[in-house]
Amino acid sequence: MHEISLVRSLLKQVERLCKQNDGTAVEQIEVEIGPLSGVEPLLVREAFEILSFGTGCAGSRFVIHEVPLKARCSDCQAEFELPSFVFVCSGCQSRAIQITSGNEFRLLNVTIQANQAANIPKPRGGGYETEHIA
Ligand SMILES: [Zn+2]
């Protein structure tokens, strides 16, 4: 199950991003998965739930965008979706097609809670400087 190692490195990447941006928690992680990536979205979700436990990503929303399999025909330049893994141009039946989307497994977006120290109210009734009266 290579989903485990993919999700593990995904979590590392997200935690690094969170640290770099001075974040305190990860709210949402969005990934893109194409049907040719060899990655099973359900297994990715399961792996995320298991592996994120105890990390900075625990409890964050995990959103999977499934990318359609698309191709372009080299003969007639048509662009089309391949819903059933039939690698033939839907326009001219040519087999000279190039996959343009569907291979991806990648991090799309991360939403983090930032450390907003500036908005924390100062304690009242203390901390004022006393004036020295001569
Ligand atoms: Zn064609």
Side-chain angles (χ1 to χ4, degrees), residues 34-93:
L36 283 188
S37 63
V39 179
E40 191 54 57
L42 266 175
L43 294 179
V44 168
R45 182 171 292 285
E46 273 177 26
F48 175 81
E49 273 158 27
I50 295 163
L51 295 170
S52 67
F53 186 78
T55 73
C57 300
S60 55
R61 269 191 306 279
F62 189 62
V63 181
I64 296 174
H65 298 277
E66 292 189 41
V67 180
L69 181 55
K70 282 187 189 167
R72 182 187 295 117
C73 177
S74 301
D75 289 335
C76 74
Q77 308 304 319
E79 279 191 78
F80 49 93
E81 282 193 26
L82 297 172
S84 53
F85 291 89
V86 179
F87 294 93
V88 171
C89 174
S90 57
C92 71
Q93 309 302 313

Side-chain angles (χ1 to χ4, degrees), residues 120-128:
I120 297 169
K122 284 181 178 162
R124 288 165 189 264
Y128 294 107

Side-chain angles (χ1 to χ4, degrees), residues 24-40:
T24 52
V26 180
E27 271 181 16
Q28 182 167 287
I29 302 165
E30 288 176 68
V31 296
E32 213 175 37
I33 299 177
L36 283 188
S37 63
V39 179
E40 191 54 57

Side-chain angles (χ1 to χ4, degrees), residues 98-120:
Q98 290 175 317
I99 303 299
T100 55
S101 110
N103 290 315
E104 43 282 273
F105 173 71
R106 59 176 180 168
L107 184 61
L108 209 60
N109 205 7
V110 178
T111 311
I112 59 168
Q113 276 173 16
N115 193 1
Q116 293 178 322
N119 289 340
I120 297 169

Side-chain angles (χ1 to χ4, degrees), residues 16-30:
R16 197 165 55 235
L17 278 170
C18 189
K19 267 193 198 124
Q20 277 168 3
N21 293 285
D22 205 18
T24 52
V26 180
E27 271 181 16
Q28 182 167 287
I29 302 165
E30 288 176 68

